[in-house]
Amino acid sequence: MKKVNELYKDQRFVNEDIYVIGTGPSLRLFPTSFLNNKFSIGLNNSYKFVKSQIIVTIHPDLHYPFDEEVDSIWISKYDKCKKTLTDEQFKRIENKFYFYSNDGKPNTAPANEPTNEGRILEWLDNPTDDKLYQWSSISQTAINLAVNLGAKNIFLVGCDGGPILGNDHVDNQHTRWKGVDPDHRYRQYREGIAEIRNRLIEKDINVMSLSPFSSLVDIHEEFTNLCKIKNVSHLIESKEDISPNQQKSLIYTLINKLFK
């Protein structure tokens, strides 16, 4: 098993810029040519829109392109891969992936909330074996990875922390709210990024968000304007919610229908 800390031997990115590419709706309008020849860490299926050298995902079962040739480095949790992939799929990725862990302390989060065993800010201070911060969003894990690679400036692209005009993502990928209001979950995304950013200020490492918009005053207006100019869809609805409780409810619904 290759662990993520093996990547830290590469010193090319010490005091350099690293871009973290999310799949928020602003990526639909971002001038991706700007990212050419820049080192980036992609999240989930962002690789469909931006070619990144590294991809981080907590759901390889949903995002890894098993039917394509892959030349990017992929990073995930070993136990998550073992749990969600078939034996055949796991054999295909076992020697290609680098694995991280977020086992730091007992999980004390209430039901339907993100587990907090990996919400450990001390891991941002110095590389700690294969440990990476993980709480409410995989973007937080990617920032920790960028820090461990030596980044001086970390730029977030498509990490919107909320919907824009009903759009959750750049495309129609799934949502996973785990039984809570989406605004609550988005607030946690932002909270996690903010606490990481605040910690990194002490280390003189900058975390900044880039957007295709010319103003922060009314991004909905900006979003609409750019959609028209670029001739892209104003609304791409998300796929079904894949939260565990939602899946259970669906099973119960089907059973009830069968026995009525």
Side-chain angles (χ1 to χ4, degrees):
M1 180 176 67
K2 295 189 290 188
K3 294 185 177 182
V4 69
N5 45 301
E6 294 180 33
L7 299 174
Y8 306 158
K9 301 171 185 176
D10 191 338
Q11 296 294 299
R12 287 178 297 163
F13 311 108
V14 174
N15 292 322
E16 296 294 331
D17 298 341
I18 292 182
Y19 296 78
V20 174
I21 315 299
T23 58
S26 71
L27 187 64
R28 197 181 309 166
L29 303 167
F30 195 87
T32 54
S33 60
F34 170 80
L35 297 166
N36 292 348
N37 303 315
K38 292 180 172 63
F39 185 85
S40 65
I41 300 172
L43 310 178
N44 297 325
N45 68 348
S46 66
Y47 68 89
K48 295 180 180 179
F49 306 93
V50 176
K51 182 175 175 59
S52 296
Q53 291 84 353
I54 294 177
I55 310 291
V56 182
T57 185
I58 194 63
H59 275 288
D61 52 319
L62 297 175
H63 299 298
Y64 186 76
F66 285 99
D67 56 349
E68 299 177 21
E69 287 294 325
V70 174
D71 55 7
S72 298
I73 293 171
W74 279 71
I75 293 173
S76 190
K77 292 176 60 179
Y78 185 88
D79 56 349
K80 189 74 171 183
C81 291
K82 287 288 288 182
K83 181 180 179 180
T84 60
L85 300 179
T86 66
D87 290 342
E88 180 181 351
Q89 288 174 328
F90 184 77
K91 287 179 182 178
R92 290 179 60 183
I93 64 96
E94 185 174 12
N95 294 321
K96 296 180 180 179
F97 272 50
Y98 286 79
F99 297 101
Y100 76 92
S101 170
N102 69 324
D103 301 327
K105 59 184 180 182
N107 175 41
T108 58
N112 295 334
E113 293 293 357
T115 59
N116 59 17
E117 68 263 33
R119 192 181 183 182
I120 299 179
L121 289 169
E122 287 76 12
W123 290 348
L124 293 155
D125 297 337
N126 292 291
T128 307
D129 298 324
D130 62 344
K131 307 294 187 183
L132 292 175
Y133 178 109
Q134 183 182 315
W135 179 46
S136 56
S137 168
I138 196 66
S139 59
Q140 300 151 11
T141 306
I143 294 173
N144 195 167
L145 175 61
V147 170
N148 290 354
L149 289 171
K152 167 64 175 175
N153 300 303
I154 302 169
F155 295 97
L156 308 180
V157 177
C159 299
D160 300 333
I164 302 177
L165 289 179
N167 294 270
D168 290 302
H169 297 106
V170 61
D171 58 3
N172 67 335
Q173 65 181 276
H174 68 273
T175 58
R176 185 177 169 88
W177 307 128
K178 295 181 70 175
V180 302
D181 187 278
D183 287 341
H184 172 73
R185 190 68 72 228
Y186 277 128
R187 194 176 304 110
Q188 291 175 322
Y189 292 177
R190 299 191 298 270
E191 181 182 347
I193 294 289
E195 70 178 22
I196 288 174
R197 177 205 59 202
N198 296 348
R199 184 81 171 201
L200 294 178
I201 287 175
E202 301 173 9
K203 295 168 59 69
D204 198 27
I205 297 173
N206 303 307
V207 178
M208 297 164 281
S209 183
L210 297 182
S211 85
F213 309 131
S214 61
S215 171
L216 296 178
V217 175
D218 190 342
I219 62 171
H220 295 125
E221 180 180 293
E222 279 279 85
F223 187 85
T224 301
N225 180 265
L226 277 176
C227 283
K228 289 179 180 177
I229 292 173
K230 291 178 175 272
N231 194 29
V232 300
S233 177
H234 291 73
L235 177 62
I236 299 178
E237 295 184 1
S238 300
K239 293 179 181 176
E240 70 279 2
D241 188 331
I242 62 164
S243 301
N245 59 336
Q246 295 291 331
Q247 293 174 331
K248 183 182 289 187
S249 297
L250 178 59
I251 292 172
Y252 288 160
T253 300
L254 291 174
I255 291 174
N256 287 334
K257 285 184 177 180
L258 286 173
F259 289 95
K260 273 187 176 180

